[in-house]
Amino acid sequence: EAQVTQNPRYLITVTGKKLTVTCSQNMNHEYMSWYRQDPGLGLRQIYYSMNVEVTDKGDVPEGYKVSRKEKRNFPLILESPSPNQTSLYFCASSTGLRETQYFGPGTRLLVL
Amino acid sequence: DQQVKQNSPSLSVQEGRISILNCDYTNSMFDYFLWYKKYPAEGPTFLISISSIKDKNEDGRFTVFLNKSAKHLSLHIVPSQPGDSAVYFCAAFSGGSNYKLTFGKGTLLTVNP
């Protein structure tokens, strides 16, 4: 089954404790992206990647890092999480620049 | 500065009637627009898209209209069904070769039986 998977689905952590949210797709998509969804703000793009080893900032990259060492994986790293990073995170992938994005199920993060 | 605006947080319609969801944008560099639907506890799913070279795109019950001069697009759902009840996001790609996608805040559509 073609899908985008994210782990963990739920995470509670404390300020400053490094964490990684994994994202993997099995559709051989070149393009991948991370978003956060917050009440009243909709979805905002954090980082995107147009190919292996090619990443770029979205609208809200501060406090996040990403890497794209393999085509299928695009982990989101929070080196020192803060409470304002409490949010619902979505990973997405697509075949091309203007192609349909397929979203993962989301990761709900709470930073205390 | 919000570049994609969905000014109606919610919309309620009767089953069988038309639902019209609106979206305005400010960035004239946007050249490709999409609508996504999102159910609670799920990721968004693609619904329909339109390129800036077109003014209309239709897919079954869903039609998207683009008015470039007004920087406005709308999604029409006819006839509306209770299963259409979800949050609808308008999104836009800017021109060029980057992959930046800007979303609106979303509109919660409720279709009443």
Side-chain angles (χ1 to χ4, degrees):
Chain A
E1 180 191 353
Q3 60 183 352
V4 178
T5 57
Q6 298 179 223
N7 283 294
R9 295 289 312 278
Y10 304 91
L11 180 60
I12 302 174
T13 189
V14 295
T15 299
K17 186 176 181 182
K18 181 179 178 180
L19 67 92
T20 299
V21 184
T22 65
C23 172
S24 184
Q25 49 91 6
N26 62 1
M27 296 170 279
N28 202 36
H29 286 172
E30 292 205 351
Y31 293 79
M32 299 187 74
S33 192
W34 274 104
Y35 300 87
R36 60 179 289 175
Q37 183 185 8
D38 301 289
L41 295 177
L43 286 154
R44 293 179 293 168
Q45 192 178 43
I46 304 170
Y47 269 95
Y48 62 90
S49 169
M50 296 197 289
N51 211 332
V52 174
E53 303 291 3
V54 179
T55 64
D56 207 346
K57 297 177 181 177
D59 290 325
V60 288
E62 296 78 19
Y64 304 95
K65 282 177 57 177
V66 292
S67 69
R68 187 90 183 274
K69 296 187 180 351
E70 310 166 276
K71 199 172 187 179
R72 64 182 293 131
N73 296 323
F74 191 42
L76 180 70
I77 303 156
L78 285 73
E79 295 268 2
S80 183
S82 62
N84 65 14
Q85 292 178 297
T86 291
S87 187
L88 178 57
Y89 291 87
F90 290 101
C91 180
S93 71
S94 66
T95 54
L97 206 55
R98 298 290 186 267
E99 301 299 326
T100 302
Q101 288 194 72
Y102 294 86
F103 282 79
T107 294
R108 189 167 290 280
L109 172 66
L110 172 61
V111 182
L112 300 172
Chain B
D1 178 33
Q2 198 184 354
Q3 298 187 62
V4 177
K5 303 178 185 178
Q6 293 178 257
N7 292 319
S8 298
S10 62
L11 174 68
S12 183
V13 301
Q14 283 299 121
E15 180 178 5
R17 307 292 291 266
I18 185 172
S19 295
I20 300 177
L21 296 96
N22 293 303
C23 179
D24 296 294
Y25 61 96
T26 58
N27 188 343
S28 57
M29 296 299 292
F30 287 149
D31 66 351
Y32 197 80
F33 304 89
L34 309 94
W35 285 93
Y36 283 85
K37 178 169 72 173
K38 185 181 180 304
Y39 294 118
E42 294 183 12
T45 55
F46 170 76
L47 199 54
I48 193 168
S49 63
I50 188 167
S51 166
S52 60
I53 62 174
K54 295 186 174 182
D55 56 17
K56 177 182 174 181
N57 189 26
E58 201 170 344
D59 184 4
R61 296 186 297 115
F62 303 92
T63 303
V64 56
F65 296 92
L66 174 63
N67 182 334
K68 282 182 63 178
S69 61
K71 293 191 175 69
H72 176 83
L73 64 156
S74 60
L75 174 68
H76 292 212
I77 306 174
V78 183
S80 302
Q81 299 173 354
D84 295 330
S85 298
V87 176
Y88 289 78
F89 289 100
C90 173
F93 274 113
S94 59
S97 59
N98 66 61
Y99 194 48
K100 285 194 72 173
L101 184 60
T102 303
F103 281 82
K105 293 183 179 181
T107 296
L108 173 62
L109 173 66
T110 303
V111 181
N112 301 303

